[in-house]
């Protein structure tokens, strides 16, 4: 993948919201992650309908976009991401490349890309279909703890403990606002 370098040394005044279903949630400390299945939604009453055997400490997760999400991305403390098929309850990909904990994950609205933010100060963009790293976005000075795509998936916002928010051009891999 490519590499973007942007200066994110000053606090930004704006942030982007992600599409519905792209926000991260806190996970369980190891064991299995409970997923309230989107399948058969007319019958859902908030009960746990599936449990995925993640077997790692979960920091973040996001369901793929759409009225019936089919996949789940999980950000883990072992420095990896996992993409799961919710219906089959099997892991499809393990995404490797971060050097420290993965703190946040997000799907692009078109379901083609996944973004991850890590304690290694990096933001990574991944191909959600084959698990390949598309680019590494550098510019934060401390841990990246939040990532969110714009509705058109052309921009990505990242937030860090360095008190900055960066807005990235996804295709170019450059910071537009920092």
């Amino acid at each position: 993948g490519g590499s973007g370098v942007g200066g994110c040394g000053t606090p930004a005044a704006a942030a982007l919201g992600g599409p519905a279903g792209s926000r991260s949630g806190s996970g369980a400390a190891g064991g299995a992650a409970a997923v309230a299945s989107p399948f058969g939604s007319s019958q859902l009453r908030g009960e746990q309908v599936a449990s995925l055997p993640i077997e790692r400490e979960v920091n973040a997760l996001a369901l793929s976009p759409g009225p019936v999400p089919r996949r789940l991305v999980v950000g883990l403390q072992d420095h990896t991401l996992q993409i799961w098929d919710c219906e089959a309850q099997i892991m499809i990909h393990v995404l490797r490349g971060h050097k420290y904990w993965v703190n946040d994950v997000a799907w692009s609205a078109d379901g083609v890309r996944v973004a991850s933010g890590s304690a290694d100060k990096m933001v990574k963009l991944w191909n959600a279909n084959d698990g390949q790293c598309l680019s590494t976005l550098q510019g934060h000075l401390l841990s990246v703890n939040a990532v969110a795509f714009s509705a058109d998936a052309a921009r990505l916002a990242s937030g860090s403990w360095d008190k900055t928010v960066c807005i990235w051009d996804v295709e170019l891999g450059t910071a537009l606002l920092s």
Side-chain angles (χ1 to χ4, degrees):
S3 177
V5 177
C8 290
T10 58
L16 299 177
S22 70
R23 295 306 308 145
S24 297
S26 59
V35 176
S37 175
F39 311 110
S41 59
S42 64
Q43 300 172 359
L44 283 183
R45 305 262 188 287
E47 71 272 11
Q48 177 180 320
V49 294
S51 181
L52 302 175
I54 304 296
E55 299 179 1
R56 300 281 187 272
E57 291 81 14
V58 175
N59 283 354
L61 49 85
L63 288 166
S64 59
V68 182
R70 301 273 184 224
R71 295 178 290 169
L72 174 76
V73 62
V74 183
L76 303 166
Q77 287 187 15
D78 72 355
H79 316 168
T80 67
L81 292 82
Q82 294 178 355
I83 297 180
W84 286 77
D85 179 311
C86 295
E87 197 167 63
Q89 297 184 20
I90 58 170
M91 185 174 23
I92 302 169
H93 300 292
V94 176
L95 288 58
R96 292 181 172 86
H98 282 295
K99 296 176 184 170
Y100 295 105
W101 293 359
V102 177
N103 294 324
D104 199 19
V105 293
W107 285 91
S108 60
D110 59 8
V112 174
R113 294 184 187 100
V114 167
S116 57
S118 170
D120 64 9
K121 309 174 199 171
M122 304 288 177
V123 174
K124 289 189 178 282
L125 292 169
W126 308 87
N127 180 315
N129 296 318
D130 64 14
Q132 295 299 307
C133 183
L134 300 171
S135 60
T136 299
L137 309 176
Q138 302 178 42
H140 285 292
L141 303 175
L142 295 173
S143 178
V144 178
N145 297 311
V147 291
F149 280 98
S150 61
D152 65 0
R155 305 284 183 261
L156 179 75
S158 59
S160 169
W161 279 3
D162 65 12
K163 302 177 184 169
T164 65
V165 171
C166 292
I167 309 296
W168 305 90
D169 180 297
V170 171
E171 290 302 319
L172 298 177
T174 57
L176 300 173
L177 173 68
S178 60

